[in-house]
Amino acid sequence: MLLKVLIALVFLSMVTSLAAGAGFLLRDGNQSRRLLVSLKLRVALAAILLGLLFYGFYFDSLAG
């Protein structure tokens, strides 16, 4: 159960980072450093999400 909550939190964090990045792109234009930081955070969160999913399927925590 805890694993599913962690997966949901990481996914919601990714969506929040995506929305923030879109806002930075619209407000700051092409010279935005915050957009790059948002992208780096989103990539790191995607790696964490993949790791959690692999862990869950490998140990059958998400199978049923």
Side-chain angles (χ1 to χ4, degrees), residues 6-60:
L6 282 174
I7 289 171
L9 285 175
V10 170
F11 181 74
L12 288 175
S13 298
M14 283 180 63
V15 171
T16 303
S17 175
L18 179 65
F24 296 150
L25 180 64
L26 291 175
R27 272 185 268 141
D28 298 342
N30 291 337
Q31 302 297 344
S32 176
R33 183 102 174 125
R34 296 187 296 178
L35 182 62
L36 180 62
V37 171
S38 174
L39 176 63
K40 288 179 184 179
L41 178 64
R42 200 164 47 251
V43 168
L45 287 170
I48 292 169
L49 182 63
L50 280 174
L52 288 172
L53 288 172
F54 283 135
Y55 176 84
F57 284 118
Y58 184 76
F59 290 109
D60 284 335

